[in-house]
Amino acid sequence: MLKQEVRDMLVSIVGDDNLRDSQQDLIAYSYDATPNYQALPDAVIKPRNTKDVSEIVKVCNEYKIPIVPRGNATNLCAGTTPLEGGIVMIFTHMNQILELDEENLTVTVQPGIITLNMIEAVEAKGLFYPPDPSSMKISTIGGNINECSGGLRGLKYGVTRDYVIGLEFVMPNGDIVRTGGKLAKDVAGYDLTRLMVGSEGTLGIITEATLKLIPKPESKKTMLAMYNSLEAAGKTVSAIIANKIIPTTLEFLDQPTIQVVEDFAKIGLPTEVGAILLIEQDGPLEVVERDSNKIAEICEEGGAISVKIAETPEEGEALTTARRAALSALARLKPTTILEDATVPRSKIAEMVRAIEEIAERNNVRICTFGHAGDGNLHPTCMTDARDKEEMERVEKAFEEVFEKAIELGGTITGEHGVGVMKSPYLAWKIGETGVNAMLAIKQSFDPNNIMNPGKMFAKESRKRVVVQK
Amino acid sequence: MLKQEVRDMLVSIVGDDNLRDSQQDLIAYSYDATPNYQALPDAVIKPRNTKDVSEIVKVCNEYKIPIVPRGNATNLCAGTTPLEGGIVMIFTHMNQILELDEENLTVTVQPGIITLNMIEAVEAKGLFYPPDPSSMKISTIGGNINECSGGLRGLKYGVTRDYVIGLEFVMPNGDIVRTGGKLAKDVAGYDLTRLMVGSEGTLGIITEATLKLIPKPESKKTMLAMYNSLEAAGKTVSAIIANKIIPTTLEFLDQPTIQVVEDFAKIGLPTEVGAILLIEQDGPLEVVERDSNKIAEICEEGGAISVKIAETPEEGEALTTARRAALSALARLKPTTILEDATVPRSKIAEMVRAIEEIAERNNVRICTFGHAGDGNLHPTCMTDARDKEEMERVEKAFEEVFEKAIELGGTITGEHGVGVMKSPYLAWKIGETGVNAMLAIKQSFDPNNIMNPGKMFAKESRKRVVVQK
């Protein structure tokens, strides 16, 4: 519970309505989309503007009260659970599009806007914001920036980091900093903009963002290819790229995922196939046409059992059902679903998926794998039960081995979900002790009192398992 | 001069041949491409590998000896002059392509490789590294990364930052850190990769980089449009973008520049025109064709006096002569040429160029402006004489006013040249005192002894002129 003195100061900043600390409020903000990390905050606060944020932060910095900035908490790394109590800051009052600038191709927004709402406003003007995290119907742009969210279009268009060109944020001492702007080029000092992107709320609070837009692609074509083996599908992924084609989307489902999706969605998938690729290309009509035909050819040469190209947008939508249904289908099997995002160079996809299958078997846990084949970003997903302590230990061990294998193949522990609490013990595996030290130096210099989202990114104890260091 | 003890330690690391401190060596490394900042180092050192770099840095950190990492010193911000003495580190022994990976579309290089050499090796495989700083025939990739270099293709393809996906670097304490990899997605901790890009050698020494490549565009088309007025040219720039076309290159020359270029190159430019736009589009043949015709139409609708589309690549080359000759033509007029890179949102180009003309007139200095209209990155270039102290004061004042105007229009003090010494007094104008404090916090946490390129980026004294803070 907050001291009365502190509570009074916070209320005097935001008003009585915007500080909540009833038991039901505290419970509502005690968890995010990650299983097993629930913790109660001391209060929930709703700033109305940047000045409010700055004043709140100053109070919290003086009294060393943790602040957890939170969008809609769809993250999968336990990035927004208030593990050390303190206040959860939410941005329901700061959810506006401030400016959509068609001449400079930018949109300036407040952090609380729901990503899809912004995307729809942008597309209504014939413009395009490419990052499309699967959570975008619910997640906020502030959350996306803090996690550097990816999505299905990352292969061709990149991730959130590639579209944030200006920020306003509040430092842990209450200072307000503005970086970048409506500028394609800006090298005035260190790149604070990208430092804040993906910093998971541990360095400050983002209060405004200017995002780069591009013209909306004229057309899109969707296709689905089925393979007997994962290896053949993996080789096709490499062959498409080797043919100098970069599709917008290049997704895959492994055999166990296909089985589960068909059981759930009954869309007529042949459950005996070894892998499915979902491929989309967008751009000018003639290029999309040409690329799609070439991709279909490459799929067939690569041993696809069948290749379907959608003739209409509706058919295209239908083809994406299998991929879209994957998480829902998997989630219904067991009480707890743990969705990971170990990532490898794209040439290592098949090898990685095979390794995951072996790891699952060896540890006697059930893992299905699907994800973004084109950028090597896999989603090995474990169906388990968090109440079964013995099984959870095996799950933890299996994921440890998955991360180790990813690193061994030149990959990373997280492609798009972030580190949070969940992957903090493994951070040094990817970045080394020297890398963690460099990050901690930044953290300590920005936030000496460790008020900003404490307990995230940096683990109290790292797993000391020895891994191959390049 | 280095203490004998330190000299001996450094020689024991790199060998006698790789430490130079004769007078002629010191003079050769006392300056870069920026006029007026010459200073002698105490020694020049050539590490052979990352281990050498780490050991050198440890010695320098212990004895508090400045280190200036230097590519081929083409930078225009006095970023690589050894202002506080110490050692200049050069990378002639670390200039190899380590791996060109066609499956993952990456190239891994050492910092000393000349950018154009790398680009040619990449293009020989049908791949493409888009950043093309005008210095690329001489500059190194290590230098490009440290300055976050831009170029003529920034509008469509972005800048160096957008292509660096993995780094190895040596921290000021000698620690070796590896970030990223052959990964399209990686969010394991803070974005140290982009923090190092553009850090101007003040945070550590880059010893290896993995760069993202894309397929080489199939075709390219070049055109030149002439206008009676700058404003009409500026409106055309906005109209092209508003038509959802993003050309690869969208350059402009103002009237004074055209005059000087024609005097020098005698290529038949009509010297009475108000502005010239040079436009290039690349991509699939049919798209380039369609876009070029549409762009020509937009130019004509926008009041172009003439529009020439090159029929052949050779004709295309010829059309680019005017733009390419700009700096050489300007540089021959007076003993000293100062090339700046104030940058504004693209919608403000015409307004900014007019303001520069007024500022030049008011301060009685000669400034010609050309640059990258598409991304708002201007190169106001002053022809002067560094020996004329009184004129230099007026030049300094004029550029001060140029920076102030750029900031007022939502722009920045530097789009692609970096801060270095030259623009360090103005850094706070762009990023505010709070932003400078945040950057200094990072600097001090990485480099408490301030050995890495001291005197750069952060000025001892800032210009206190009051500017509009958003």
Side-chain angles (χ1 to χ4, degrees):
Chain A
M1 240 177 62
L2 295 177
K3 276 196 245 181
Q4 191 59 41
E5 178 190 356
V6 173
R7 194 183 186 287
D8 291 346
M9 289 169 88
L10 294 175
V11 166
S12 78
I13 296 167
V14 294
D16 210 28
D17 275 1
N18 291 317
L19 186 118
R20 302 291 179 90
D21 51 6
S22 73
Q23 190 65 8
Q24 65 261 42
D25 281 310
L26 301 186
I27 291 172
Y29 292 95
S30 65
Y31 58 90
D32 61 22
T34 325
N36 248 6
Y37 291 91
Q38 195 168 14
L40 283 185
D42 296 310
V44 178
I45 201 161
K46 303 183 190 179
R48 296 156 304 175
N49 50 45
T50 303
K51 188 166 161 286
D52 278 1
V53 174
S54 170
E55 290 181 13
I56 294 165
V57 169
K58 282 177 190 162
V59 171
C60 290
N61 198 34
E62 192 184 333
Y63 290 86
K64 301 194 173 41
I65 295 164
I67 307 176
V68 181
R70 181 191 194 271
N72 281 330
T74 55
N75 78 84
L76 296 165
C77 64
T80 52
T81 46
L83 280 190
E84 308 195 358
I87 62 173
V88 169
M89 185 179 283
I90 58 176
F91 298 88
T92 38
H93 295 316
M94 295 173 73
N95 66 351
Q96 296 302 303
I97 293 180
L98 299 176
E99 190 193 7
L100 180 48
D101 181 338
E102 294 180 69
E103 234 179 325
N104 292 304
L105 299 190
T106 59
V107 61
T108 299
V109 296
Q110 292 183 307
I113 190 166
I114 289 180
T115 309
L116 188 63
N117 294 355
M118 181 200 75
I119 288 178
E120 284 171 352
V122 158
E123 296 197 0
K125 299 286 182 186
L127 296 172
F128 193 47
Y129 175 74
D132 61 338
S134 298
S135 58
M136 65 187 173
K137 283 185 195 175
I138 307 162
S139 64
T140 65
I141 199 71
N144 292 178
I145 292 172
N146 272 299
E147 299 295 327
C148 188
S149 302
L152 276 68
R153 300 193 281 237
L155 172 57
K156 183 169 183 175
Y157 291 109
V159 297
T160 301
R161 157 193 318 124
D162 301 303
Y163 294 87
V164 182
I165 58 174
L167 285 177
E168 180 191 75
F169 62 90
V170 175
M171 295 279 293
N173 64 1
D175 274 359
I176 298 165
V177 178
R178 290 189 76 93
T179 68
K182 296 176 180 175
L183 298 166
K185 289 176 174 171
D186 178 22
V187 293
Y190 301 146
D191 193 346
L192 296 180
T193 308
R194 276 87 192 177
L195 179 63
M196 292 305 293
V197 176
S199 64
E200 305 187 3
T202 64
L203 294 179
I205 298 169
I206 290 162
T207 48
E208 190 184 304
T210 297
L211 308 172
K212 171 181 147 176
L213 304 173
I214 58 175
K216 188 162 158 48
E218 287 166 33
S219 67
K220 185 171 85 169
K221 198 116 198 172
T222 305
M223 62 179 80
L224 205 65
M226 313 227 184
Y227 289 84
N228 275 326
S229 83
L230 194 65
E231 284 71 16
K235 276 186 192 148
T236 294
V237 170
S238 292
I240 293 169
I241 306 292
N243 272 272
K244 321 284 187 225
I245 299 174
I246 308 287
T248 308
T249 293
L250 219 174
E251 299 286 306
F252 87 105
L253 306 177
D254 72 352
Q255 195 278 329
T257 310
I258 297 166
Q259 177 76 57
V260 173
V261 168
E262 181 55 23
D263 288 351
F264 168 60
K266 312 261 187 263
I267 49 180
L269 295 176
T271 55
E272 72 287 359
V273 301
I276 290 179
L277 292 182
L278 171 74
I279 309 167
E280 290 193 333
Q281 181 59 306
D282 65 7
L285 193 61
E286 54 273 51
V287 176
V288 169
E289 201 66 44
R290 192 175 62 168
D291 281 356
S292 305
N293 293 335
K294 183 72 192 165
I295 292 170
E297 234 173 70
I298 295 168
C299 289
E300 275 157 12
E301 282 166 16
I305 318 167
S306 82
V307 181
K308 277 187 222 163
I309 305 187
E311 292 303 322
T312 62
E314 294 70 35
E315 264 185 62
E317 284 298 302
L319 292 185
T320 65
T321 310
R323 168 65 180 86
R324 294 235 177 111
L327 183 54
S328 318
L330 294 170
R332 63 194 266 281
L333 292 186
K334 292 286 276 307
T336 307
T337 309
I338 301 177
L339 177 67
E340 270 303 343
D341 74 326
T343 298
V344 292
R346 81 169 68 85
S347 60
K348 305 289 186 186
I349 285 275
E351 190 178 342
M352 186 68 202
V353 178
R354 277 287 173 254
I356 294 171
E357 287 173 3
E358 284 163 25
I359 289 165
E361 208 181 313
R362 193 162 56 238
N363 290 286
N364 188 25
V365 296
R366 187 161 184 195
I367 298 182
C368 294
T369 304
F370 62 97
H372 318 297
D375 47 37
N377 183 202
L378 302 173
H379 291 314
T381 302
C382 186
M383 284 68 67
T384 180
D385 185 341
R387 296 162 300 185
D388 180 343
K389 294 255 179 290
E390 185 277 327
E391 177 163 313
M392 285 305 282
E393 272 175 32
R394 282 181 285 119
V395 170
E396 184 68 22
K397 182 151 180 302
F399 275 122
E400 225 174 87
E401 292 178 27
V402 167
F403 295 143
E404 186 175 9
K405 184 72 187 178
I407 301 285
E408 185 193 317
L409 295 176
T412 183
I413 58 168
T414 173
E416 58 182 8
H417 292 171
V419 177
V421 189
M422 208 180 180
K423 267 164 292 192
S424 60
Y426 307 103
L427 182 61
W429 291 17
K430 165 63 186 148
I431 187 83
E433 292 295 336
T434 56
V436 173
N437 289 342
M439 292 178 186
L440 272 172
I442 296 170
K443 168 69 176 172
Q444 283 156 2
S445 73
F446 271 47
D447 184 19
N449 294 325
N450 194 26
I451 60 164
M452 286 308 311
N453 210 2
K456 312 298 160 63
M457 197 174 293
F458 305 106
K460 294 204 166 104
E461 274 183 81
S462 294
R463 306 287 159 128
K464 287 298 183 190
R465 187 165 197 160
V466 176
V467 285
V468 190
Q469 283 277 355
K470 265 183 89 176
Chain B
M1 241 177 58
L2 294 177
K3 275 197 243 179
Q4 191 60 39
E5 179 190 355
V6 172
R7 192 182 189 285
D8 291 346
M9 289 170 87
L10 294 175
V11 166
S12 78
I13 296 168
V14 293
D16 209 29
D17 276 3
N18 292 318
L19 185 121
R20 302 292 179 87
D21 51 6
S22 73
Q23 192 63 8
Q24 65 263 41
D25 281 311
L26 301 186
I27 290 171
Y29 292 95
S30 65
Y31 58 90
D32 61 22
T34 326
N36 249 6
Y37 291 92
Q38 196 169 14
L40 284 185
D42 295 309
V44 178
I45 201 161
K46 302 182 192 180
R48 297 157 304 174
N49 50 47
T50 303
K51 190 167 159 286
D52 278 1
V53 174
S54 170
E55 291 181 11
I56 295 165
V57 170
K58 282 179 190 163
V59 171
C60 291
N61 198 35
E62 193 186 331
Y63 289 86
K64 301 196 171 42
I65 296 165
I67 306 175
V68 181
R70 181 191 194 270
N72 282 330
T74 54
N75 78 82
L76 296 164
C77 64
T80 53
T81 46
L83 279 190
E84 306 195 2
I87 63 173
V88 170
M89 185 179 284
I90 59 176
F91 297 88
T92 39
H93 295 317
M94 295 174 70
N95 66 352
Q96 298 300 303
I97 293 180
L98 300 176
E99 190 194 8
L100 181 47
D101 182 337
E102 294 179 71
E103 235 178 326
N104 292 304
L105 299 191
T106 59
V107 62
T108 300
V109 296
Q110 293 183 305
I113 190 167
I114 289 179
T115 309
L116 188 62
N117 294 354
M118 182 200 75
I119 288 179
E120 284 171 352
V122 158
E123 295 198 358
K125 301 284 183 188
L127 297 173
F128 192 48
Y129 176 75
D132 62 338
S134 299
S135 59
M136 67 185 170
K137 283 185 194 173
I138 307 162
S139 64
T140 65
I141 199 72
N144 291 177
I145 292 172
N146 273 298
E147 300 295 327
C148 189
S149 301
L152 277 68
R153 300 193 282 237
L155 172 57
K156 184 170 181 174
Y157 292 109
V159 297
T160 301
R161 162 197 310 127
D162 300 303
Y163 294 88
V164 182
I165 57 173
L167 286 177
E168 181 192 75
F169 63 90
V170 175
M171 294 279 294
N173 65 0
D175 276 358
I176 300 166
V177 177
R178 291 190 76 92
T179 67
K182 296 175 181 176
L183 298 167
K185 290 177 175 168
D186 177 22
V187 292
Y190 300 146
D191 193 346
L192 296 180
T193 308
R194 276 88 191 175
L195 178 64
M196 291 305 293
V197 176
S199 63
E200 303 187 6
T202 64
L203 294 179
I205 298 169
I206 289 162
T207 49
E208 191 185 304
T210 297
L211 308 172
K212 170 180 146 174
L213 304 173
I214 58 174
K216 188 163 158 47
E218 287 166 33
S219 67
K220 185 171 87 173
K221 200 116 198 171
T222 306
M223 62 180 78
L224 205 66
M226 315 231 183
Y227 290 83
N228 276 328
S229 82
L230 195 66
E231 284 70 17
K235 276 187 192 147
T236 295
V237 170
S238 292
I240 292 170
I241 306 291
N243 272 272
K244 320 282 188 230
I245 299 174
I246 309 288
T248 308
T249 294
L250 218 174
E251 300 287 306
F252 87 105
L253 305 177
D254 73 352
Q255 197 279 328
T257 309
I258 296 166
Q259 178 75 56
V260 173
V261 168
E262 181 55 22
D263 289 350
F264 169 61
K266 313 265 187 258
I267 48 180
L269 295 176
T271 54
E272 72 286 0
V273 301
I276 290 179
L277 292 181
L278 170 74
I279 309 167
E280 290 193 334
Q281 181 59 305
D282 65 7
L285 194 61
E286 54 272 53
V287 176
V288 169
E289 201 66 44
R290 191 176 61 170
D291 281 356
S292 305
N293 294 335
K294 182 74 191 167
I295 292 170
E297 234 174 69
I298 296 167
C299 289
E300 275 157 12
E301 283 167 17
I305 318 165
S306 82
V307 182
K308 278 186 221 162
I309 305 188
E311 293 302 322
T312 63
E314 295 69 37
E315 265 185 61
E317 284 299 301
L319 292 185
T320 64
T321 310
R323 170 63 180 87
R324 292 235 179 114
L327 182 55
S328 319
L330 295 170
R332 65 194 265 282
L333 291 187
K334 292 286 278 299
T336 307
T337 310
I338 300 177
L339 177 67
E340 271 303 344
D341 74 326
T343 299
V344 292
R346 83 169 66 85
S347 60
K348 305 289 187 187
I349 286 276
E351 191 177 340
M352 185 68 203
V353 177
R354 279 284 172 255
I356 293 171
E357 287 172 2
E358 284 164 25
I359 290 166
E361 207 180 315
R362 191 161 59 235
N363 291 285
N364 189 27
V365 294
R366 185 157 184 200
I367 298 182
C368 294
T369 304
F370 62 96
H372 317 298
D375 47 37
N377 181 202
L378 302 174
H379 291 313
T381 302
C382 185
M383 283 68 68
T384 180
D385 185 341
R387 296 162 302 187
D388 181 342
K389 296 253 179 290
E390 185 274 328
E391 177 163 312
M392 285 304 283
E393 273 174 30
R394 281 182 284 120
V395 169
E396 184 68 23
K397 181 152 180 302
F399 276 122
E400 225 173 85
E401 292 178 24
V402 167
F403 296 142
E404 187 175 9
K405 184 72 188 177
I407 301 285
E408 185 193 316
L409 295 177
T412 182
I413 57 169
T414 174
E416 58 182 10
H417 292 172
V419 177
V421 189
M422 208 176 177
K423 267 164 291 193
S424 59
Y426 308 103
L427 182 61
W429 290 17
K430 166 61 187 150
I431 186 81
E433 293 296 335
T434 56
V436 173
N437 289 342
M439 292 179 187
L440 271 172
I442 296 170
K443 167 70 175 172
Q444 283 156 2
S445 73
F446 271 47
D447 184 18
N449 294 324
N450 194 25
I451 60 165
M452 287 309 311
N453 211 2
K456 311 301 159 61
M457 197 175 291
F458 305 106
K460 293 201 167 111
E461 275 184 80
S462 293
R463 307 288 161 128
K464 289 297 182 190
R465 189 166 194 157
V466 176
V467 287
V468 189
Q469 283 276 358
K470 266 185 86 172

